[in-house]
Short mmCIF file of all heavy atoms in Angstrom, two decimals:
data_model
loop_
_atom_site.label_atom_id
_atom_site.label_comp_id
_atom_site.label_asym_id
_atom_site.label_seq_id
_atom_site.Cartn_x
_atom_site.Cartn_y
_atom_site.Cartn_z
N ASN A 179 12.36 11.05 1.24
CA ASN A 179 13.01 10.78 -0.04
C ASN A 179 12.19 11.21 -1.24
O ASN A 179 12.43 10.76 -2.35
CB ASN A 179 13.37 9.29 -0.13
CG ASN A 179 12.19 8.38 0.21
OD1 ASN A 179 11.06 8.86 0.31
ND2 ASN A 179 12.44 7.09 0.37
N LYS A 246 -0.78 -6.91 4.00
CA LYS A 246 -1.10 -8.34 4.17
C LYS A 246 -1.10 -8.72 5.66
O LYS A 246 -0.37 -8.13 6.45
CB LYS A 246 -0.03 -9.20 3.48
CG LYS A 246 -0.20 -9.25 1.98
CD LYS A 246 0.51 -10.44 1.39
CE LYS A 246 1.99 -10.23 1.25
NZ LYS A 246 2.68 -11.15 0.39
N TYR A 247 -1.87 -9.74 5.97
CA TYR A 247 -1.90 -10.30 7.33
C TYR A 247 -1.38 -11.73 7.28
O TYR A 247 -1.32 -12.33 6.20
CB TYR A 247 -3.33 -10.25 7.87
CG TYR A 247 -3.76 -8.85 8.28
CD1 TYR A 247 -4.13 -7.92 7.31
CD2 TYR A 247 -3.74 -8.46 9.61
CE1 TYR A 247 -4.49 -6.63 7.67
CE2 TYR A 247 -4.10 -7.18 9.97
CZ TYR A 247 -4.48 -6.26 9.00
OH TYR A 247 -4.82 -4.99 9.37
N LEU A 248 -1.05 -12.31 8.43
CA LEU A 248 -0.51 -13.67 8.45
C LEU A 248 -1.58 -14.70 8.13
O LEU A 248 -1.28 -15.80 7.67
CB LEU A 248 0.06 -13.98 9.84
CG LEU A 248 1.30 -13.19 10.26
CD1 LEU A 248 1.64 -13.49 11.72
CD2 LEU A 248 2.48 -13.53 9.37
N VAL A 280 5.99 -7.69 12.93
CA VAL A 280 6.33 -8.89 12.16
C VAL A 280 6.83 -8.47 10.78
O VAL A 280 6.18 -7.66 10.11
CB VAL A 280 5.09 -9.80 11.98
CG1 VAL A 280 5.49 -11.08 11.27
CG2 VAL A 280 4.45 -10.11 13.30
N GLY A 281 7.96 -9.04 10.35
CA GLY A 281 8.49 -8.76 9.03
C GLY A 281 9.97 -8.43 9.10
O GLY A 281 10.48 -8.06 10.17
N GLY A 282 10.65 -8.55 7.97
CA GLY A 282 12.09 -8.28 7.96
C GLY A 282 12.49 -7.34 6.84
O GLY A 282 13.66 -7.19 6.52
N GLY A 283 11.49 -6.68 6.23
CA GLY A 283 11.78 -5.75 5.13
C GLY A 283 11.92 -4.32 5.63
O GLY A 283 11.94 -4.07 6.84
N ASP A 284 11.99 -3.38 4.69
CA ASP A 284 12.13 -1.96 5.05
C ASP A 284 10.96 -1.46 5.86
O ASP A 284 11.13 -0.68 6.79
CB ASP A 284 12.26 -1.11 3.77
CG ASP A 284 13.67 -1.14 3.22
OD1 ASP A 284 14.61 -1.10 4.03
OD2 ASP A 284 13.83 -1.21 1.99
N THR A 285 9.76 -1.92 5.51
CA THR A 285 8.58 -1.45 6.24
C THR A 285 8.67 -1.88 7.70
O THR A 285 8.46 -1.08 8.60
CB THR A 285 7.29 -2.02 5.61
OG1 THR A 285 7.27 -1.64 4.23
CG2 THR A 285 6.04 -1.48 6.29
N ALA A 286 9.00 -3.15 7.93
CA ALA A 286 9.08 -3.67 9.30
C ALA A 286 10.13 -2.89 10.10
O ALA A 286 9.90 -2.52 11.24
CB ALA A 286 9.41 -5.16 9.28
N GLU A 288 11.28 0.12 9.50
CA GLU A 288 10.83 1.50 9.68
C GLU A 288 9.79 1.57 10.81
O GLU A 288 9.85 2.45 11.67
CB GLU A 288 10.19 1.98 8.36
CG GLU A 288 10.16 3.47 8.20
CD GLU A 288 9.75 3.84 6.78
OE1 GLU A 288 8.55 3.76 6.46
OE2 GLU A 288 10.62 4.20 5.99
N ILE A 303 9.83 -9.59 14.87
CA ILE A 303 9.72 -11.03 14.63
C ILE A 303 10.00 -11.32 13.15
O ILE A 303 9.24 -10.92 12.27
CB ILE A 303 8.31 -11.55 15.03
CG1 ILE A 303 8.02 -11.20 16.50
CG2 ILE A 303 8.20 -13.05 14.80
CD1 ILE A 303 6.62 -11.57 16.97
N VAL A 304 11.12 -12.00 12.90
CA VAL A 304 11.60 -12.21 11.53
C VAL A 304 11.66 -13.71 11.26
O VAL A 304 12.28 -14.45 12.03
CB VAL A 304 13.02 -11.60 11.37
CG1 VAL A 304 13.51 -11.72 9.93
CG2 VAL A 304 13.03 -10.15 11.81
N ARG A 305 11.03 -14.17 10.18
CA ARG A 305 10.99 -15.63 9.98
C ARG A 305 12.31 -16.21 9.48
O ARG A 305 12.60 -17.39 9.65
CB ARG A 305 9.83 -16.01 9.06
CG ARG A 305 9.96 -15.53 7.64
CD ARG A 305 8.78 -15.98 6.80
NE ARG A 305 8.81 -15.39 5.47
CZ ARG A 305 7.87 -15.56 4.57
NH1 ARG A 305 6.81 -16.30 4.85
NH2 ARG A 305 7.96 -15.00 3.37
N LYS A 306 13.13 -15.39 8.81
CA LYS A 306 14.43 -15.88 8.30
C LYS A 306 15.54 -15.55 9.29
O LYS A 306 15.33 -14.80 10.24
CB LYS A 306 14.72 -15.18 6.96
CG LYS A 306 13.75 -15.57 5.85
CD LYS A 306 14.49 -15.89 4.56
CE LYS A 306 13.56 -16.49 3.51
NZ LYS A 306 13.08 -15.52 2.54
N PHE A 308 17.89 -13.64 8.72
CA PHE A 308 18.45 -12.33 8.33
C PHE A 308 17.32 -11.39 7.93
O PHE A 308 16.19 -11.82 7.72
CB PHE A 308 19.41 -12.51 7.14
CG PHE A 308 18.77 -13.20 5.97
CD1 PHE A 308 18.03 -12.49 5.03
CD2 PHE A 308 18.88 -14.59 5.82
CE1 PHE A 308 17.43 -13.14 3.97
CE2 PHE A 308 18.27 -15.25 4.76
CZ PHE A 308 17.54 -14.52 3.83
N LEU A 309 17.67 -10.09 7.88
CA LEU A 309 16.71 -9.07 7.46
C LEU A 309 16.84 -8.86 5.95
O LEU A 309 17.94 -8.93 5.41
CB LEU A 309 16.99 -7.75 8.17
CG LEU A 309 16.77 -7.73 9.69
CD1 LEU A 309 17.38 -6.46 10.28
CD2 LEU A 309 15.28 -7.80 10.01
N ARG A 310 15.71 -8.55 5.33
CA ARG A 310 15.73 -8.28 3.91
C ARG A 310 15.88 -6.76 3.63
O ARG A 310 16.15 -6.34 2.51
CB ARG A 310 14.40 -8.77 3.32
CG ARG A 310 14.24 -8.58 1.85
CD ARG A 310 12.77 -8.60 1.54
NE ARG A 310 12.23 -9.95 1.60
CZ ARG A 310 11.34 -10.39 0.73
NH1 ARG A 310 10.93 -9.61 -0.23
NH2 ARG A 310 10.86 -11.59 0.82
N SER A 312 16.99 -2.70 3.58
CA SER A 312 18.21 -2.03 3.12
C SER A 312 19.19 -1.87 4.29
O SER A 312 18.78 -1.84 5.45
CB SER A 312 17.86 -0.65 2.55
OG SER A 312 17.12 0.07 3.50
N MET A 315 18.50 0.73 7.03
CA MET A 315 17.39 0.40 7.92
C MET A 315 17.79 -0.73 8.88
O MET A 315 17.40 -0.73 10.05
CB MET A 315 16.15 -0.01 7.11
CG MET A 315 15.53 1.08 6.29
SD MET A 315 15.17 2.57 7.24
CE MET A 315 13.89 1.99 8.32
N HIS A 331 11.80 -16.75 13.80
CA HIS A 331 10.62 -16.90 14.64
C HIS A 331 9.35 -16.76 13.80
O HIS A 331 9.29 -15.93 12.89
CB HIS A 331 10.59 -15.83 15.73
CG HIS A 331 11.39 -16.20 16.94
ND1 HIS A 331 12.75 -16.29 16.93
CD2 HIS A 331 11.00 -16.49 18.22
CE1 HIS A 331 13.19 -16.62 18.14
NE2 HIS A 331 12.15 -16.75 18.94
N ASN A 332 8.35 -17.54 14.13
CA ASN A 332 7.02 -17.40 13.53
C ASN A 332 6.00 -17.20 14.65
O ASN A 332 6.17 -17.73 15.75
CB ASN A 332 6.64 -18.65 12.74
CG ASN A 332 7.31 -18.67 11.39
OD1 ASN A 332 6.88 -18.04 10.45
ND2 ASN A 332 8.42 -19.39 11.30
N ALA A 369 3.88 -6.13 9.20
CA ALA A 369 4.62 -5.36 8.20
C ALA A 369 5.24 -6.37 7.24
O ALA A 369 6.46 -6.43 7.07
CB ALA A 369 5.68 -4.49 8.86
N ILE A 370 4.38 -7.20 6.65
CA ILE A 370 4.89 -8.32 5.84
C ILE A 370 4.55 -8.16 4.35
O ILE A 370 4.46 -9.13 3.62
CB ILE A 370 4.33 -9.67 6.35
CG1 ILE A 370 2.80 -9.69 6.34
CG2 ILE A 370 4.87 -9.97 7.74
CD1 ILE A 370 2.20 -11.07 6.53
N GLY A 371 4.41 -6.93 3.93
CA GLY A 371 4.18 -6.70 2.51
C GLY A 371 2.73 -6.38 2.20
O GLY A 371 1.91 -6.25 3.11
N HIS A 372 2.46 -6.27 0.94
CA HIS A 372 1.15 -5.80 0.48
C HIS A 372 0.59 -6.64 -0.65
O HIS A 372 1.33 -7.31 -1.35
CB HIS A 372 1.30 -4.34 0.01
CG HIS A 372 1.56 -3.41 1.15
ND1 HIS A 372 2.82 -3.26 1.68
CD2 HIS A 372 0.73 -2.64 1.86
CE1 HIS A 372 2.74 -2.41 2.70
NE2 HIS A 372 1.49 -2.02 2.83
N PRO A 414 5.71 -4.47 -8.62
CA PRO A 414 6.21 -5.33 -7.55
C PRO A 414 7.64 -4.97 -7.12
O PRO A 414 8.14 -5.50 -6.13
CB PRO A 414 6.19 -6.72 -8.19
CG PRO A 414 6.22 -6.49 -9.65
CD PRO A 414 5.69 -5.11 -9.93
N HIS A 415 8.29 -4.08 -7.84
CA HIS A 415 9.73 -3.86 -7.62
C HIS A 415 10.08 -2.64 -6.78
O HIS A 415 10.84 -2.73 -5.83
CB HIS A 415 10.46 -3.75 -8.96
CG HIS A 415 10.28 -4.95 -9.81
ND1 HIS A 415 10.78 -6.18 -9.46
CD2 HIS A 415 9.63 -5.13 -10.98
CE1 HIS A 415 10.43 -7.07 -10.39
NE2 HIS A 415 9.74 -6.45 -11.31
N TYR A 416 9.56 -1.47 -7.14
CA TYR A 416 10.06 -0.23 -6.53
C TYR A 416 9.12 0.29 -5.44
O TYR A 416 9.57 0.66 -4.36
CB TYR A 416 10.28 0.83 -7.61
CG TYR A 416 11.22 0.35 -8.68
CD1 TYR A 416 10.76 0.05 -9.96
CD2 TYR A 416 12.56 0.14 -8.39
CE1 TYR A 416 11.62 -0.42 -10.93
CE2 TYR A 416 13.43 -0.33 -9.36
CZ TYR A 416 12.96 -0.61 -10.63
OH TYR A 416 13.80 -1.09 -11.58
N ARG A 417 7.83 0.37 -5.74
CA ARG A 417 6.80 0.76 -4.77
C ARG A 417 7.14 2.02 -3.97
O ARG A 417 6.99 2.06 -2.76
CB ARG A 417 6.50 -0.43 -3.84
CG ARG A 417 5.88 -1.57 -4.59
CD ARG A 417 5.62 -2.76 -3.72
NE ARG A 417 6.82 -3.47 -3.38
CZ ARG A 417 6.86 -4.72 -2.96
NH1 ARG A 417 5.75 -5.40 -2.79
NH2 ARG A 417 8.00 -5.31 -2.68
N GLN A 418 7.64 2.99 -4.63
CA GLN A 418 7.98 4.26 -3.98
C GLN A 418 7.00 5.34 -4.42
O GLN A 418 6.42 5.25 -5.52
CB GLN A 418 9.40 4.69 -4.38
CG GLN A 418 10.46 3.69 -4.00
CD GLN A 418 10.54 3.50 -2.50
OE1 GLN A 418 10.79 4.44 -1.76
NE2 GLN A 418 10.30 2.28 -2.05
P1 NDP B 90 8.97 -6.74 1.60
O1 NDP B 90 8.26 -7.63 0.65
O2 NDP B 90 10.25 -6.11 1.21
O3 NDP B 90 9.26 -7.54 2.96
C1 NDP B 90 8.27 -8.31 3.55
C2 NDP B 90 8.86 -8.96 4.79
O4 NDP B 90 7.82 -9.69 5.45
C3 NDP B 90 9.98 -9.93 4.49
O5 NDP B 90 10.94 -9.91 5.51
C4 NDP B 90 9.23 -11.28 4.50
O6 NDP B 90 10.03 -12.35 4.88
C5 NDP B 90 8.21 -11.03 5.58
N1 NDP B 90 7.04 -11.89 5.41
C6 NDP B 90 6.22 -12.02 4.33
N2 NDP B 90 5.23 -12.91 4.57
C7 NDP B 90 5.44 -13.34 5.82
C8 NDP B 90 4.76 -14.27 6.64
N3 NDP B 90 3.68 -14.92 6.22
N4 NDP B 90 5.24 -14.50 7.88
C9 NDP B 90 6.33 -13.85 8.34
N5 NDP B 90 7.02 -12.95 7.60
C10 NDP B 90 6.58 -12.70 6.37
O7 NDP B 90 7.86 -5.66 2.01
P2 NDP B 90 8.04 -4.21 2.64
O8 NDP B 90 6.65 -3.76 2.87
O9 NDP B 90 8.97 -4.20 3.76
O10 NDP B 90 8.67 -3.34 1.47
C11 NDP B 90 8.05 -3.25 0.20
C12 NDP B 90 8.89 -2.37 -0.73
O11 NDP B 90 8.84 -1.02 -0.29
C13 NDP B 90 10.37 -2.77 -0.74
O12 NDP B 90 10.85 -2.61 -2.03
C14 NDP B 90 10.98 -1.77 0.21
O13 NDP B 90 12.35 -1.54 -0.06
C15 NDP B 90 10.14 -0.53 -0.04
N6 NDP B 90 10.12 0.36 1.13
C16 NDP B 90 10.97 1.43 1.14
C17 NDP B 90 11.01 2.29 2.20
C18 NDP B 90 11.94 3.46 2.14
O14 NDP B 90 12.68 3.56 1.18
N7 NDP B 90 11.91 4.36 3.10
C19 NDP B 90 10.15 2.10 3.39
C20 NDP B 90 9.31 0.93 3.29
C21 NDP B 90 9.31 0.11 2.20
P3 NDP B 90 11.09 -13.03 3.88
O15 NDP B 90 12.27 -12.13 3.81
O16 NDP B 90 11.34 -14.33 4.58
O17 NDP B 90 10.38 -13.22 2.57
#
Side-chain angles (χ1 to χ4, degrees):
N179 50 11
K246 283 200 281 196
Y247 285 77
L248 293 173
V280 185
D284 279 321
T285 304
E288 202 170 76
I303 304 176
V304 184
R305 67 179 173 183
K306 293 226 171 98
F308 55 85
L309 293 168
R310 181 202 284 220
S312 54
M315 293 308 293
H331 276 68
N332 282 279
I370 58 167
H372 291 81
H415 302 295
Y416 304 109
R417 294 178 286 200
Q418 300 297 301

